[in-house]
Amino acid sequence: MSELFDITNFDSYKEDNRREVKRANGGLPIALWESYSAMANTYGGVIILGIKELDDRRWKTTGLKYADKERLLDDLWNQAHNPQKVSVNLLTEKDVKSYEVDDDLVIVIHVPMAKREQKPVYINNDIFRGTYKRTHTGDYHCSSSQVKSMLRDQIEETMDMHIIENMSLKDLNFETIHQYRNRHKTYKPDHIWNNLSDEDYLLMIGAIDKDRDGNIHPTGAGLLMFGEEYRILRQYPEYFLDYREMLDPTIRWTDRLYSSSGDWTGNVFDFYFKVYNKIALNIKLPFKIENGIRVGDTPVHRAIREVLANCLVNTDFYIPRGVVIKLEKDVLTIENPGAIRVGKYQMRLGGQSDPRNKALMKMFNLIGVGERAGSGVPELFSVWENEGWVEPIIEEKFDPDRTLLTMQFVKKVPEKSARKKVPEKSARNFSDKKVTKKTQMQYDKILNFMKDDTWYKASDFMAVLDVKDRRIKVLLNELVKSKSVVEDGSTKGRRYKKKT
């Protein structure tokens, strides 16, 4: 409690999201339990009885020393232990202390943050009308969707583990499944699951399961990872994934990818890799090219992959507005529906993993994404510190609950204006030719778009590069010469594949 209330700092305190004052002259305040619920459901806090807040926000004692202190405390403990008054008692004897202030008395009640399985903490035996959260200096009544979200978070078996009995194996996209299996095999070539049939493999990774009658159905994670958007919506009506690239201030966005567009699967697996590749192409980081392939994966790239996966495995897919990722000039913002299950402080500290979608996390781990549980966000802060960039910002918004992570690719302290800028090289070596920066970016876009063990026609890259077919063929031929890409040898309908 010392970090929230220290009697020596009394004159410096003001009400905020962790501190609430109440007069309590006429006995235990009725609103005390609203604040108790709000603090327990948010980040904890202290309720100080015997104080009123003046117009200038200073605190003044209210004469609690003249009240019956013992009767007040008896009333507090009786109500705290009464399940008709409060759903769970989080208080212990050490959480309630009395202090002398200005020849008066105050009682300080430390309300711990409730554990996930204890939430929602509610009052008056009414879970929907008696659940509160706290923001800034006030307690607010939770909406039914917030209450339901806390109830979903209670259980150890996360919602994505549940089987969807009105769907079958045919409702999954097997092209996505095979892409996933290829990535798993590349990451773990000797894994014992590599030789399993698709059905047995999906059972092992948690994408499908059997009901009591032995019938196979997708799990929530299997549907999210490998389903198609219109099928996912049947189970998760609020499901929406949105990537917005806003690099030119004169237009609304320079690129956009969203799950309901109808021109791709719209599932979590494809979204993750499509979005990461777009981000990787646009963040300004030093790299080198060997044989036409970008090498030297940087800590920044790894940190972005981790937090992107962290966003998806912690999304509450039942909450409106969906996942929104925005890339602007020097700023990347990642938003997902759902409060932080371990709390903002613990998320920043790391070391404790409590994903909202455990089965999804397992699937990402199997292909080498997010395998360092609980370390993604601390690593991000460490990488940004090493780069000398402005510290990332974690925010929570409520009703509907959302988590926001903002990363700036900007130095903390502006460089001295006297320092001369070194001009970028206008060309790089590629296949024994000098190429412009624009051409090099086109090579990178092609290589990042291509998935392993997949053949492509030149026309497949038109939407990626927004150039004519003739230009794409020139680029592909150069990639073939540099041995970054192989071709199938035919003249008509020639196809290309990334060299692995």
Side-chain angles (χ1 to χ4, degrees), residues 104-144:
D104 206 342
L105 176 72
V106 298
I107 296 176
V108 180
I109 305 166
H110 172 240
V111 182
M113 175 183 172
K115 297 177 182 177
R116 170 175 52 80
E117 57 269 23
Q118 294 171 319
K119 296 179 183 179
V121 174
Y122 57 93
I123 63 174
N124 300 329
N125 203 28
D126 191 333
I127 191 169
F128 286 104
R129 289 188 292 181
T131 300
Y132 294 81
K133 275 196 170 185
R134 190 162 179 87
T135 177
H136 191 45
T137 59
D139 308 321
Y140 74 90
H141 182 260
C142 286
S143 64
S144 60

Side-chain angles (χ1 to χ4, degrees), residues 206-229:
I208 61 175
D209 206 346
K210 296 179 180 180
D211 63 18
R212 293 179 181 178
D213 298 323
N215 299 313
I216 293 289
H217 304 281
T219 61
L223 180 64
L224 289 164
M225 199 74 154
F226 305 125
E228 296 191 42
E229 186 264 353

